[in-house]
């Protein structure tokens, strides 16, 4: 059972997460937060040390929502190779899903935080590294099962795949055209099949 304070914190995060994701750290004001939550500054600061702490919590909420969706999508197969294909399959339709979040939280906050003097960028880098590490582990697992070629550099391929995904997300949002994502994921499927599948 959550305490009253924990419930308030949860409410604040859930309410402001889309705002931070859409507007960015610098452009989101305390007035935006108080207006959205109908809480006073005192009530907000009673639960969070400062705006940066709210932004970090909001970022993690958005990212966790995203990663849970990816993980759920991957449950369709127990094969490490097929799980790689399920990553590209998820991102093929990512535009529709991420618009509900106010855009891609990793791209939005990564670009925004990189220009601010804030530790928020360290949290973005942590998520990117963790995601790439998980892809790398999937490739290593595929080597163990014989589905993926032994000579594949798991670390480098995970960077290649994730860079391809994020680049396609950037182009899709910039050009308002989901064909960038769809075509890029077709290309990544081909690369997985031709370059790493055993």
């Amino acid at each position: 059972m959550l305490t009253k304070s924990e419930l308030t914190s949860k409410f604040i995060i859930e309410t402001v997460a889309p705002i931070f994701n859409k507007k960015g750290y610098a452009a989101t004001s305390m007035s935006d937060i108080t207006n959205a939550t109908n809480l006073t500054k005192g009530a907000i600061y009673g639960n969070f040390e400062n705006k940066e702490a709210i932004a970090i919590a909001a970022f993690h909420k958005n990212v966790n929502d995203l990663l849970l969706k990816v993980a759920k999508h991957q449950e369709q197969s127990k094969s490490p190779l097929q799980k790689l294909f399920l990553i590209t399959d998820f991102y093929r339709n990512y535009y529709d899903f991420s618009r509900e979040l106010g855009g891609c939280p990793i791209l939005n906050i990564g670009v925004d935080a990189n220009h601010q003097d804030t530790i928020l960028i360290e949290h973005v880098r942590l998520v990117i590294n963790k995601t790439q590490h998980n892809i790398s582990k999937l490739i290593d697992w595929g080597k163990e099962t014989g589905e993926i070629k032994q000579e594949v550099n798991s670390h480098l391929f995970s960077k290649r795949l994730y860079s391809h995904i994020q680049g396609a997300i950037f182009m899709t949002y910039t050009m308002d055209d989901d064909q960038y994502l769809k075509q890029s994921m077709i290309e990544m499927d081909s690369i997985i099949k031709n370059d790493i599948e055993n």
Side-chain angles (χ1 to χ4, degrees):
M1 186 87 174
L2 294 175
T3 65
K4 186 179 177 186
S5 174
E6 288 169 335
L7 284 168
T8 304
S9 295
K10 186 172 183 286
F11 166 72
I12 293 167
I13 303 265
E14 288 175 351
T15 305
V16 304
I19 298 169
F20 271 108
N21 199 31
K22 285 175 190 168
K23 295 184 76 171
Y25 175 73
T28 301
S29 65
M30 280 308 294
S31 294
D32 291 325
I33 297 168
T34 55
N35 290 339
T37 58
N38 287 320
L39 295 171
T40 63
K41 278 188 185 180
I44 305 262
Y45 285 132
N47 288 275
F48 294 95
E49 185 183 349
N50 51 34
K51 187 177 95 167
E52 186 175 61
I54 305 169
I56 290 167
F59 169 69
H60 283 290
K61 190 249 185 273
N62 284 328
V63 166
N64 288 338
D65 287 350
L66 164 61
L67 296 180
L68 282 171
K69 288 274 189 186
V70 176
K72 185 79 179 159
H73 196 68
Q74 286 182 297
E75 287 175 5
Q76 294 176 62
S77 177
K78 295 195 182 308
S79 152
L81 180 67
Q82 291 309 311
K83 283 180 184 289
L84 275 179
F85 284 119
L86 284 165
I87 291 172
T88 60
D89 186 60
F90 175 84
Y91 280 101
R92 194 172 277 113
N93 300 302
Y94 182 64
Y95 195 35
D96 293 333
F97 165 72
S98 60
R99 279 192 290 193
E100 293 174 21
L101 299 175
C104 175
I106 295 160
L107 182 65
N108 287 359
I109 303 303
V111 170
D112 180 62
N114 207 26
H115 299 291
Q116 311 296 326
D117 185 19
T118 168
I119 60 165
L120 193 50
I121 189 63
E122 295 305 321
H123 288 265
V124 177
R125 288 174 181 157
L126 185 71
V127 169
I128 291 170
N129 284 328
K130 184 180 175 184
T131 303
Q132 290 177 163
H133 177 68
N134 287 339
I135 294 169
S136 184
K137 280 186 358 190
L138 209 52
I139 295 166
D140 287 336
W141 179 24
K143 289 183 191 177
E144 289 171 19
T145 62
E147 293 181 282
I148 292 174
K149 295 171 185 172
Q150 291 298 319
E151 63 269 22
V152 174
N153 184 315
S154 308
H155 181 67
L156 288 180
F157 192 84
S158 68
K159 283 187 169 185
R160 183 182 184 188
L161 174 58
Y162 200 62
S163 297
H164 215 86
I165 289 168
Q166 285 299 329
I169 292 169
F170 171 79
M171 290 302 295
T172 287
Y173 267 96
T174 303
M175 303 305 291
D176 190 23
D177 181 357
D178 67 354
Q179 285 305 307
Y180 287 98
L181 264 171
K182 291 185 186 301
Q183 290 304 311
S184 289
M185 294 310 99
I186 289 169
E187 286 170 25
M188 277 316 300
D189 283 347
S190 179
I191 290 167
I192 292 168
K193 188 153 192 60
N194 296 324
D195 291 9
I196 74 167
E197 184 176 352
N198 213 350

